[in-house]
Amino acid sequence: MQNKGLIRTFAILLALVCAYQLAFTFVARKVEKDAREYAQGDKMKELVYLDSVSGTTVYNFLGMKKYTYKDVKALEMNLGLDLKGGMNVTLEVSVADLIKSLSNYSTDTTFNAALARATAMQRNSQDDFVTLFGKAFEEIDPNAQLAAIFNTLELKEKVKYNSTNSEVMAVIRTETKAAIDNSFNIIRTRIDRFGVAQPNVQPLQTPGRILVELPGVDNPERVRKLLQGTAKLEFWETYENSEVYSVIMQANEKVKEVQALSEEKITAATTETTTTEVADTTGNSLLSELESSSDSVDVDQMADFKKEYPLFAVMQPSTTADGQLYPGPVVGTSHFKDTATVNNYLKLPQVKSIIPRNLKFLWTSKAIDEGGNYFRLIAIKVTGRDGRAPLDGDVIVDARQDYEQFGSRPEVSMSMNSEGAKTWARLTKENVGKSIAIVLDGYVRSFPTVNGEITGGRSSISGLESVEEAKDLANILKSGKMPAPAHIIQEEIVGPSLGQEAINSGMYSFVIAFILVLAYMLFFYSKKAGLASNIALIANLFFVIGVLASIGAVLTLPGIAGIVLTIGMSVDANVLIYERVQEEIKAGKGLKLAIADGYKNAYSAIIDGQFTTLLTGFVLYMFGSGPIKGFATTLIIGIFTSLFSAIFLTRLTFERQLSKGKNITFTSKMTDGWLRDAQIKFLDKRKVAYIISGTLIAISLISMATRGFNYGIDFQGGRTFVVRMEQDVKVAEVGKALAAVYGETPEVKTFGGDNQVKITTEYKIDELSSEVDDEVEQLLLTGLQNGGFVPGDVDMAKFDSDYRMSSQKVGPTISDDIKKDALIAIFFSLVIIFLYILIRFRNWQFGFGAVAALAHDTIITLGAFSLFHGILPFSLEIDQAFIAAILTVVGYSINDTVVVYDRIREYLQIHPKRSNELNMNEAMNSTLRRTFSTSLSTLVVILAIFLFGGTSIQGFTFALLLGVGIGTYSSIFVATPIVYDTYKRVEKAKAKKAVK
């Protein structure tokens, strides 16, 4: 073996690098263990301890470089959400809002109709929004000119009055891209200041989409507000209550008139949601609380009051008991369920006609009562012609969390630039004794009374409930205003307890599988050869984990499955080498020469088999996301490290033993003759195999056409929650309890034990605001409490920590993209593999046989998932993990097929005068020992993961288990027979041509 010294040096250096990188993880774990022992179960005490040592040196590398706990925490092995718990979201910047902003909020009917149509088209299109907007604009009015809309003050240098539509579209595309890039930078800055260890923020391939991974986060509501807040800060002048009270009275009269005319007219005149909104308020509103709070109030009197004062029935005016008006800008107070009704009343055309154009109303963002039920309506004065606030957040140069001057309540202190300071001084000077409303994202955060002119550009936002809220608000303001809202279109939350269970089950399956593989190699290939391969396998495991840590890759549960599968498949290289060495020894060669020739002759099959799997890994990495990408990463790294370990490390071990004159055996007495001289005539049985395969394919296709699939939310959109109750439950009863709050029956399935269920609902999935997400979760808790499955005193925080194991949300738009990417991934895998085999074997028959076998494996695996979903006691959903399993099966199956093909090619070259049938049969028989060893070890590994790896990946491993079994069968009984039959057809066609 040449270059032994170089290989040995590389192995030592690689081991040192891996050990160095993994040391950070060990040190971080040790510090955290000390913190737990110190805290004795007190979580806050543990956090205080870790915070106190964050700047303390905890690792001194060879006395050369010192690392603090904060440093080692940043460099430790990244664990995915499924192992650590946390939150993973995909954000989409609203390009529609960006385009509106670029047009300076144009009211052009064609423009707004085009935006609406583009939004509708986006649901079923893979084009970006800008392209769809351009198409919609042209379709609605081919003669309309975009220049007339976008020739604004801000774009006057880029859009001229005579610019063509294509030129304007190019400007829109450029500007939206810049705004999206700015949004990404703002979100990344917000997350960096959020204080999460090892956050991952990255732009996705689709323009406007941003992936945010936050391990360890346990407050989803806080994260949603942080990510989706646009931070549109405005400072508005206000009217006094006394100045607008007459308008409120007139508005009440107009509403009364409209209601008197016809209930149907008010429904038609208001928004589509008015009827629903008003109906919802009857259960728990201002009026219902007044009714319940006073026994002396006559029902008829209350009905008369509601008829006479419809507006005041849902909004209590800002007056004292004797009718005196309260000072300040507050004009009324409403129950949160009545705010929509008030809004709808104020939007009535008859009411809008009597409201001055320089008056508008905004709700406060904070409730005035401890129960969080009542909100105030503030009268805002609109002074500018363009309807803009006289001062906005663009002038803020710094913001920080602080405390009120006379008290301990948190607030946000802000400082402005010179231009903002001048405007702020003017506003405060002109409004002494009045209020200035500080509005954030359309809601009044506070409305302090101005005591005098404020110079220097200093201001503050008070009325905040917690230090965390103040810090987040300061973070958002300091990061900058988002150019447009960013909506969460995909979300996954994993509870910390489920993450710990995943680690335990993953490690359990890993240890079992690893021990089984090591034991098998010792049993089948004797102590010395088996020990050499086991050393290589252990080194391979060390290298894989070390490289993952070195490149900062995230280790997920599918990633652990990828490592274990890699180990199972890496046995294949050792098996191929050992079987070749045994053949050389049987041919009469000496041990040293047999080892050298065995390695040399095995290289072709090893490289071909592993390279095709590598191609599949690359396709998975390109088109996958989240856990799938993690699986692909470990698969790719594992292939490289297993090749190095199996080929070079075992060879170094044998070279060392040979140099000491030791004898090496490559088989045990019990396994020496196993499948050694098999003479099975496989091709004679091909018609039987065709019938079996054809029957299975037919059953699969019929099942797919009739039963269909159990699509996961990855492919259909929706929300899922995995909830663990304290006692066993019946899914029908859970579904009934949730149907009462959602208004539709969600899908409820047992997930793991009888006390754990998976709940899937499409309730309001089209609505992307954080408020809707919070509403869906609150309704989930309410429904489970009403059904008696969760105690009534459990709040949302306790529910998240003790009951909700995980949750996921996928919007309808992104589910279409996931389906598209899945189909592309499978298609590209098949094309790439066909082309590689075509080039490598220089014969289309081999490529055709391989792809036919892969299609065979894929259809039967899909058929099994269609046929058995709802029958087997675990989830058989078609989701991203299933696609990863299919592509892994494709990689494994082609690996098995290529090994057989490689031996057929060799026999055809050595024995050109033999018949193809004889060469192919002998080639398959000669690889039987290898096929048996590799398939058995791989199946044992996957079976261990399936049995002990946990509920969350059972469907994934079932697909692997099924696919590997079918793939082993198809490489012998499908792929090779097809090559043989196509060879015969070609030869017959050539013979006919020759006769002619």
Side-chain angles (χ1 to χ4, degrees):
M1 177 178 168
Q2 297 178 342
N3 301 319
K4 283 189 290 186
L6 181 64
I7 292 168
R8 190 179 291 112
T9 302
F10 178 78
I12 293 170
L13 289 175
L14 180 60
L16 287 174
V17 169
C18 292
Y20 170 73
Q21 289 293 335
L22 291 173
F24 295 113
T25 302
F26 287 116
V27 172
R29 295 290 185 274
K30 183 180 181 303
V31 174
E32 288 159 5
K33 181 182 177 184
D34 293 341
R36 285 193 296 273
E37 290 175 354
Y38 169 79
Q40 295 293 312
D42 188 331
K43 190 67 178 175
M44 183 57 67
K45 201 173 179 181
E46 182 182 334
L47 292 173
V48 170
Y49 178 92
L50 292 174
D51 187 56
S52 67
V53 299
S54 63
T56 306
T57 299
V58 294
Y59 179 40
N60 191 347
F61 177 67
L62 300 177
M64 295 185 294
K65 189 168 182 179
K66 297 179 180 179
Y67 294 92
T68 64
Y69 171 68
K70 186 178 180 181
D71 295 331
V72 298
K73 190 67 181 170
L75 293 169
E76 72 172 343
M77 168 77 77
N78 292 333
L79 294 180
L81 302 186
D82 50 3
L83 296 179
K84 191 175 184 179
M87 193 171 183
N88 175 321
V89 302
T90 299
L91 290 162
E92 185 170 57
V93 177
S94 175
V95 180
D97 286 305
L98 282 175
I99 295 175
K100 284 181 185 177
S101 176
L102 290 172
S103 72
N104 210 1
Y105 301 95
S106 171
T107 57
D108 182 87
T109 54
T110 303
F111 168 73
N112 286 289
L115 283 175
R117 181 177 292 187
T119 302
M121 291 165 63
Q122 193 177 33
R123 292 180 176 275
N124 302 307
S125 174
Q126 303 306 325
D127 291 334
D128 63 85
F129 188 86
V130 175
T131 301
L132 294 174
F133 166 72
K135 289 180 180 177
F137 191 83
E138 292 286 342
E139 289 172 2
I140 292 171
D141 188 351
N143 299 317
Q145 295 297 311
L146 285 168
I149 298 167
F150 289 93
N151 183 220
T152 61
L153 185 63
E154 293 80 6
L155 294 177
K156 65 179 181 179
E157 299 298 325
K158 299 175 181 178
V159 177
K160 308 298 181 183
Y161 71 93
N162 58 350
S163 296
T164 64
N165 282 359
S166 60
E167 289 172 341
V168 177
M169 286 299 298
V171 172
I172 293 172
R173 193 174 296 280
T174 302
E175 292 296 316
T176 52
K177 183 181 182 304
I180 288 168
D181 291 342
N182 186 32
S183 298
F184 170 73
N185 292 330
I186 290 170
I187 288 173
R188 184 169 58 185
T189 303
R190 290 182 185 180
I191 292 300
D192 288 343
R193 292 173 179 160
F194 188 64
V196 180
Q198 298 175 318
N200 175 31
V201 184
Q202 63 185 59
L204 297 177
Q205 201 170 15
T206 303
R209 288 186 184 168
I210 301 164
L211 173 69
V212 179
E213 293 179 325
L214 303 171
V217 165
D218 58 0
N219 191 337
E221 183 181 353
R222 182 184 173 197
V223 173
R224 291 184 191 120
K225 289 179 180 177
L226 179 78
L227 295 177
Q228 296 185 121
T230 58
K232 184 181 181 183
L233 182 67
E234 298 169 319
F235 299 84
W236 291 91
E237 296 176 79
T238 62
Y239 283 106
E240 284 293 301
N241 182 25
S242 58
E243 295 178 279
V244 298
Y245 183 71
S246 61
V247 175
I248 297 296
M249 291 297 294
Q250 291 178 55
N252 179 75
E253 290 300 315
K254 290 293 182 183
V255 174
K256 184 173 71 172
E257 290 174 11
V258 171
Q259 288 188 337
L261 288 172
S262 171
E263 188 65 27
E264 292 181 5
K265 287 186 178 181
I266 187 173
T267 303
T270 55
T271 62
E272 294 178 1
T273 60
T274 303
T275 304
T276 305
E277 303 278 10
V278 173
D280 286 343
T281 65
T282 58
N284 185 19
S285 64
L286 173 65
L287 189 62
S288 60
E289 289 202 6
L290 287 173
E291 289 172 343
S292 62
S293 64
S294 177
D295 296 332
S296 62
V297 176
D298 185 83
V299 175
D300 292 333
Q301 287 181 335
M302 191 61 70
D304 291 340
F305 176 80
K306 186 176 180 181
K307 185 176 180 180
E308 185 69 21
Y309 301 102
L311 178 58
F312 297 143
V314 288
M315 186 187 77
Q316 183 178 345
S318 187
T319 60
T320 62
D322 57 359
Q324 297 297 312
L325 298 177
Y326 279 116
V330 179
V331 298
T333 304
S334 289
H335 192 281
F336 74 89
K337 287 196 173 183
D338 291 328
T339 55
T341 307
V342 174
N343 290 340
N344 289 323
Y345 284 162
L346 296 177
K347 288 177 184 176
L348 287 168
Q350 296 89 335
V351 175
K352 288 174 71 175
S353 67
I354 56 98
I355 296 176
R357 298 185 66 179
N358 59 352
L359 168 65
K360 71 175 183 177
F361 300 100
L362 293 177
W363 292 102
T364 56
S365 61
K366 292 295 178 183
I368 60 173
D369 63 319
E370 290 184 2
N373 292 322
Y374 289 93
F375 294 82
R376 291 167 167 171
L377 191 65
I378 309 298
I380 301 295
K381 182 186 292 186
V382 182
T383 54
R385 291 183 179 178
D386 57 0
R388 303 280 186 88
L391 189 64
D392 61 31
D394 289 341
V395 302
I396 303 297
V397 293
D398 191 24
R400 60 186 175 84
Q401 182 265 318
D402 206 340
Y403 292 94
E404 292 179 359
Q405 187 176 1
F406 302 106
S408 59
R409 290 181 65 85
E411 66 175 15
V412 174
S413 297
M414 301 174 290
S415 58
M416 306 176 183
N417 59 24
S418 58
E419 182 183 346
K422 289 178 184 177
T423 306
W424 184 236
R426 178 182 60 78
L427 278 177
T428 52
K429 183 178 180 180
E430 294 174 356
N431 288 275
V432 174
K434 295 184 177 182
S435 296
I436 297 288
I438 301 175
V439 179
L440 186 68
D441 292 337
Y443 291 92
V444 178
R445 297 292 292 214
S446 62
F447 46 96
T449 302
V450 180
N451 295 320
E453 179 184 358
I454 302 174
T455 58
R458 299 242 171 226
S459 60
S460 62
I461 300 177
S462 57
L464 305 173
E465 291 185 351
S466 66
V467 172
E468 274 189 349
E469 183 186 4
K471 285 181 176 178
D472 287 347
L473 180 54
N475 176 359
I476 291 172
L477 295 175
K478 196 172 180 179
S479 302
K481 182 176 70 175
M482 288 280 285
H487 301 301
I488 294 175
I489 56 174
Q490 184 177 14
E491 174 185 287
E492 182 180 5
I493 301 170
V494 179
S497 58
L498 187 63
Q500 188 58 51
E501 289 175 16
I503 291 176
N504 296 339
S505 59
M507 291 304 298
Y508 192 31
S509 67
F510 174 81
V511 171
I512 291 172
F514 196 59
I515 290 173
L516 288 173
V517 171
L518 296 179
Y520 177 78
M521 293 303 289
L522 281 174
F523 166 75
F524 203 88
Y525 290 105
S526 78
K527 290 182 180 179
K528 289 186 178 178
L531 184 61
S533 68
N534 287 348
I535 291 171
L537 284 172
I538 293 170
N540 180 33
L541 172 63
F542 179 65
F543 291 153
V544 170
I545 297 175
V547 172
L548 282 171
S550 300
I551 64 175
V554 178
L555 183 63
T556 61
L557 195 56
I560 289 179
I563 292 174
V564 179
L565 185 61
T566 297
I567 290 169
M569 293 177 66
S570 70
V571 171
D572 185 48
N574 284 128
V575 170
L576 284 168
I577 291 168
Y578 289 1
E579 292 301 324
R580 278 293 194 172
V581 171
Q582 289 177 63
E583 288 179 18
E584 302 300 333
I585 292 172
K586 297 284 184 184
K589 294 181 181 179
L591 183 59
K592 188 172 184 179
L593 181 60
I595 290 174
D597 287 350
Y599 272 85
K600 184 173 65 176
N601 292 330
Y603 288 157
S604 176
I606 290 172
I607 292 170
D608 283 338
Q610 297 287 348
F611 191 75
T612 48
T613 307
L614 185 66
L615 290 174
T616 305
F618 279 128
V619 171
L620 270 174
Y621 185 84
M622 287 171 60
F623 295 102
S625 61
I628 308 306
K629 189 160 281 191
F631 176 80
T633 302
T634 55
L635 187 64
I636 293 167
I637 293 170
I639 288 170
F640 284 111
T641 56
S642 64
L643 283 173
F644 175 76
S645 303
I647 294 174
F648 296 111
L649 294 188
T650 56
R651 186 73 182 274
L652 285 174
T653 304
F654 293 145
E655 292 281 343
R656 183 176 177 80
Q657 290 177 339
L658 288 172
S659 66
K660 293 183 177 181
K662 293 183 178 180
N663 184 40
I664 304 170
T665 55
F666 287 86
T667 185
S668 66
K669 291 180 181 179
M670 293 180 66
T671 60
D672 184 42
W674 176 251
L675 296 176
R676 175 73 67 190
D677 299 311
Q679 297 293 326
I680 303 171
K681 295 183 178 180
F682 290 102
L683 293 177
D684 288 353
K685 306 179 189 302
R686 71 185 188 281
K687 291 183 179 178
V688 176
Y690 286 160
I691 292 171
I692 293 171
S693 294
T695 303
L696 291 174
I697 289 172
I699 292 171
S700 298
L701 293 174
I702 291 170
S703 178
M704 285 187 269
T706 54
R707 295 199 80 222
F709 294 107
N710 177 24
Y711 287 107
I713 64 167
D714 290 357
F715 287 172
Q716 66 180 11
R719 291 179 174 87
T720 65
F721 302 90
V722 176
V723 181
R724 181 179 296 171
M725 265 68 82
E726 293 173 355
Q727 297 178 344
D728 292 350
V729 297
K730 293 181 179 179
V731 294
E733 294 177 358
V734 175
K736 185 178 179 181
L738 293 176
V741 293
Y742 284 135
E744 58 183 39
T745 304
E747 181 184 82
V748 183
K749 296 178 181 177
T750 301
F751 193 75
D754 290 337
N755 67 327
Q756 188 166 283
V757 293
K758 186 175 186 179
I759 300 160
T760 304
T761 177
E762 294 183 14
Y763 178 75
K764 290 191 176 181
I765 191 59
D766 292 329
E767 298 183 34
L768 302 175
S769 68
S770 61
E771 289 79 8
V772 170
D773 292 331
D774 296 339
E775 178 194 347
V776 173
E777 293 178 2
Q778 186 60 55
L779 287 174
L780 172 68
L781 175 57
T782 302
L784 293 175
Q785 287 177 328
N786 292 344
F789 307 110
V790 173
D793 60 348
V794 172
D795 59 14
M796 185 55 70
K798 187 171 177 59
F799 178 72
D800 287 340
S801 63
D802 295 352
Y803 294 88
R804 177 166 66 172
M805 296 294 102
S806 67
S807 64
Q808 189 179 7
K809 165 191 166 184
V810 179
T813 303
I814 201 167
S815 65
D816 287 340
D817 293 344
I818 290 171
K819 280 188 280 189
K820 178 200 73 171
D821 289 345
L823 292 172
I824 291 173
I826 293 173
F827 175 76
F828 268 101
S829 294
L830 296 177
V831 170
I832 290 171
I833 287 168
F834 174 78
L835 292 175
Y836 176 78
I837 293 176
L838 181 65
I839 294 168
R840 191 76 176 88
F841 291 89
R842 299 179 182 178
N843 196 306
W844 68 266
Q845 286 96 332
F846 284 99
F848 178 71
V851 172
L854 295 180
H856 165 277
D857 302 342
T858 303
I859 291 170
I860 293 176
T861 305
L862 282 167
F865 267 62
S866 170
L867 192 63
F868 296 117
H869 77 78
I871 298 173
L872 294 179
F874 48 86
S875 175
L876 291 180
E877 286 186 350
I878 304 296
D879 54 14
Q880 288 190 84
F882 175 78
I883 298 302
I886 285 290
L887 291 174
T888 305
V889 167
V890 165
Y892 178 84
S893 179
I894 197 64
N895 177 40
D896 215 20
T897 302
V898 164
V899 170
V900 176
Y901 279 5
D902 193 80
R903 190 58 68 93
I904 291 172
R905 179 179 57 183
E906 182 183 336
Y907 275 39
L908 289 174
Q909 290 172 351
I910 297 173
H911 309 291
K913 293 185 179 180
R914 280 188 188 176
S915 67
N916 288 337
E917 183 178 3
L918 181 59
N919 277 326
M920 290 181 181
N921 273 327
E922 286 201 4
M924 285 187 283
N925 278 294
S926 67
T927 59
L928 269 185
R929 276 173 63 89
R930 172 263 162 201
T931 300
F932 173 80
S933 291
T934 301
S935 299
L936 181 65
S937 58
T938 305
L939 285 169
V940 163
V941 165
I942 299 172
L943 185 62
I945 305 172
F946 176 74
L947 294 175
F948 306 106
T951 307
S952 60
I953 59 168
Q954 262 192 323
F956 172 77
T957 48
F958 177 74
L960 290 178
L961 201 62
L962 191 67
V964 167
I966 295 169
T968 303
Y969 159 83
S970 69
S971 64
I972 295 173
F973 291 103
V974 177
T976 305
I978 286 176
V979 174
Y980 174 72
D981 283 334
T982 51
Y983 255 115
K984 281 180 67 176
R985 286 181 177 276
V986 170
E987 287 174 356
K988 283 181 180 179
K990 286 181 179 178
K992 284 183 179 180
K993 273 190 175 183
V995 170
K996 290 180 181 179

